[in-house]
């Protein structure tokens, strides 16, 4: 297995923010991640899929990273016991294809920029019982160079002590941030990088990781993101039986639905994951002030399964037999007007050439007879 594939385990559980994580700004969407001192990790792209069928939840995550960090650790709270495995990187390409915009042609009558006679050459690119010390080890596994520990805890201080004693280094204020999860008896997945060869930086698109755990509600852990010191962005694919929405904004801007629709018999890993949960909802959300994040995202069924999909229009000039319709219409109108003017001119000319009968001569009336004498 290539090192780049193995590195997915430590970083792909960072959630779905598009942000720069430079120490000590170590928090991210679904957990908390910390590089070693004097190192940095730049997260240029993150994607996450949440699948919920009413009883079980699955989260598949992938991200693209850069920087000079070669060692890091993170911890992710989960409501119930989780299994962890590497995911299929093809899943996200299949999601992109399922969400592809619809292309439609839109006709316009009058010429626009680029149409004759306005041609333009400008182009726009388009529950294990806890141990006596307050921490219980549910399981421990090695995934390539990574040490993965699944834990329970009843005391955040005891959990912090166990993590440090076993090589999972986290900042002190994470202890306070974990208290709400301790109170609700959540469990934890902690991962640290234990490479065979050191000084190999984390870089490029990493393969995803796949978590599965029982859950009677669709929940996406976000509370630990309040530790971040830079604005955060969330992008989340949700697979369920119907369209889904977030219960609240949890301190961020109003989430935006960028896609919603029932998948049409998808294949591959997307088809396997979407079996029984064929409705896909894609959400985005910004968190300008991460300190205001108040909890985890809980997703609920939307009132209606209204479809949302981007539409890309191709504008075309309407034509008739290859001739612009506007030219035919305007030209026809001009020809009609010209014909009418021609008829009027012909009538005027013809009338001007018609012979005119002169009027009869005017004759003077005869003289009156002389009047008779009076008397």
């Amino acid at each position: 297995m290539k090192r780049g594939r193995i590195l997915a385990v430590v970083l792909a559980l960072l959630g779905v923010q598009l942000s720069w994580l430079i120490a000590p700004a170590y928090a991210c969407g679904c957990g908390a991640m910390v590089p070693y001192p004097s190192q940095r990790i730049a997260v240029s792209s993150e994607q996450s899929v949440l699948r919920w069928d009413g009883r079980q939840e699955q989260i598949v995550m992938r991200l693209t990273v850069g920087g000079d960090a070669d060692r890091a650790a993170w911890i992710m709270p989960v409501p119930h016991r989780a299994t962890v495995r590497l995911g299929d990187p093809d899943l996200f390409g299949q999601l992109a294809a399922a969400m592809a915009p619809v292309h439609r042609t839109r006709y316009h009558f009058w010429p626009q920029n680029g149409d004759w006679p306005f041609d333009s050459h400008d182009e726009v690119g388009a529950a294990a019982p806890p141990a006596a010390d307050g921490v219980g080890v549910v399981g421990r596994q090695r995934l390539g160079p990574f040490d993965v520990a699944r834990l329970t805890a009843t005391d955040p201080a005891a959990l912090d002590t166990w993590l440090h004693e076993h090589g999972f280094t986290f900042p002190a204020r994470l202890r306070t941030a974990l208290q709400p999860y301790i109170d609700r008896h959540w469990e934890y997945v902690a991962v640290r990088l234990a490479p065979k060869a050191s000084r190999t930086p984390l870089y490029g698109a990493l393969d995803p990781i796949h978590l599965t755990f029982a859950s009677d509600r669709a929940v996406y852990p976000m509370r630990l993101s309040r530790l971040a010191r830079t604005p955060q962005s969330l992008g989340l694919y949700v697979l369920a039986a119907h369209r889904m929405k977030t219960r609240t904004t949890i301190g961020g801007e109003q989430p935006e639905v960028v896609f919603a629709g029932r998948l049409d018999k998808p294949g591959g890993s997307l088809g396997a994951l979407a079996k029984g949960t064929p409705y896909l909802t894609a959400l985005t959300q910004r968190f300008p002030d991460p300190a205001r994040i108040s909890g985890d995202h809980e997703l609920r069924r939307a009132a209606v399964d209204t479809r949302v999909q981007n539409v890309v229009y191709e504008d075309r000039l309407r034509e008739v037999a290859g001739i612009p319709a506007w030219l035919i219409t305007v030209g026809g109108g001009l020809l009609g007007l010209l014909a009418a003017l021609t008829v009027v001119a012909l009538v005027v000319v013809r009338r001007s050439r018609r012979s005119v009968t002169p009027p009869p001569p005017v004759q003077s009336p005869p003289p009156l007879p002389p009047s008779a004498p009076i008397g």
Side-chain angles (χ1 to χ4, degrees):
M1 182 178 298
K2 296 181 179 180
R3 183 178 181 81
R5 180 179 178 86
I6 301 300
L7 293 178
V9 182
V10 69
L11 294 174
L13 291 172
L14 303 182
V16 201
Q17 286 94 352
L18 304 176
S19 61
W20 291 91
L21 304 179
I22 302 176
Y26 45 78
C28 30
C30 58
M33 182 275 300
V34 184
Y36 277 60
S38 75
Q39 295 183 334
R40 67 181 180 87
I41 292 177
V43 182
S44 59
S45 175
E46 301 181 55
Q47 296 174 296
S48 187
V49 185
L50 186 156
R51 189 260 190 194
W52 184 68
D53 62 7
R55 300 184 305 274
Q56 185 186 76
E57 182 172 329
Q58 300 181 50
I59 297 178
V60 186
M61 303 172 219
R62 184 183 70 172
L63 75 163
T64 302
V65 300
D68 59 6
D70 62 344
R71 293 178 295 172
W74 66 260
I75 185 169
M76 177 181 178
V78 290
H80 294 282
R81 185 142 314 151
T83 60
V84 184
R85 61 185 174 88
L86 290 176
D88 183 0
D90 293 338
L91 172 64
F92 294 92
Q94 294 164 12
L95 279 166
M99 293 174 52
V102 174
H103 290 265
R104 295 175 180 170
T105 301
R106 181 169 54 190
Y107 291 95
H108 52 271
F109 181 81
W110 295 109
Q112 300 177 357
N113 186 30
D115 297 326
W116 183 89
F118 306 117
D119 293 338
S120 173
H121 298 289
D122 295 333
E123 295 182 359
V124 180
D133 61 359
V135 177
V137 180
V138 176
R140 196 83 178 266
Q141 64 186 121
R142 295 274 301 191
L143 293 176
F146 293 99
D147 180 9
V148 180
R150 291 175 293 140
L151 309 170
T152 64
T154 57
D155 177 19
L159 178 59
D160 180 73
T161 299
W162 188 97
L163 291 169
H164 280 82
E165 288 180 350
H166 292 81
F168 297 81
T169 303
F170 293 101
R173 65 193 185 116
L174 178 64
R175 181 187 307 177
T176 303
L178 287 172
Q179 184 64 56
Y181 297 110
I182 296 286
D183 296 340
R184 288 185 289 171
H185 307 291
W186 281 36
E187 297 190 5
Y188 311 90
V189 177
V191 180
R192 74 179 179 94
L193 176 62
K196 296 179 181 179
S198 61
R199 301 189 181 280
T200 301
L202 310 176
Y203 186 81
L206 307 178
D207 282 348
I209 193 168
H210 193 144
L211 279 78
T212 303
F213 50 87
S215 183
D216 58 1
R217 59 195 177 100
V219 58
Y220 190 73
M222 286 288 298
R223 186 185 298 272
L224 296 183
S225 287
R226 64 181 298 136
L227 301 179
R229 296 176 179 175
T230 57
Q232 304 286 287
S233 297
L234 172 67
L236 182 65
Y237 304 99
V238 183
L239 287 169
H242 299 276
R243 176 172 168 172
M244 303 292 281
K245 65 177 183 178
T246 61
R247 187 173 65 87
T248 67
T249 63
I250 63 168
E253 296 179 355
Q254 187 66 35
E256 178 186 0
V257 177
V258 295
F259 179 88
R262 194 170 299 275
L263 300 178
D264 185 18
K265 298 180 180 179
S269 55
L270 176 58
L273 189 63
K275 186 176 181 180
T277 54
Y279 202 98
L280 173 63
T281 309
L283 304 168
T284 63
Q285 185 183 14
R286 292 188 68 255
F287 295 90
D289 183 5
R292 298 182 59 186
I293 295 177
S294 58
D296 303 317
H297 260 319
E298 182 178 343
L299 295 118
R300 297 180 173 182
R301 178 178 175 179
V304 292
D305 290 343
T306 305
R307 185 176 181 85
V308 176
Q309 188 171 19
N310 289 332
V311 179
V312 176
Y313 288 100
E314 180 183 357
D315 291 315
R316 291 185 180 181
L317 184 64
R318 189 171 297 279
E319 297 179 342
V320 177
I323 303 174
W326 72 268
L327 185 59
I328 295 176
T329 303
V330 173
L334 291 176
L335 288 175
L337 179 60
L338 180 60
L341 292 175
T342 302
V343 170
V344 171
L346 290 174
V347 170
V348 171
V349 170
R350 183 171 298 177
R351 287 183 176 180
S352 66
R353 293 180 178 177
R354 184 181 302 171
S355 58
V356 178
T357 303
V362 178
Q363 296 180 355
S364 300
L368 293 174
S371 57
I374 300 176

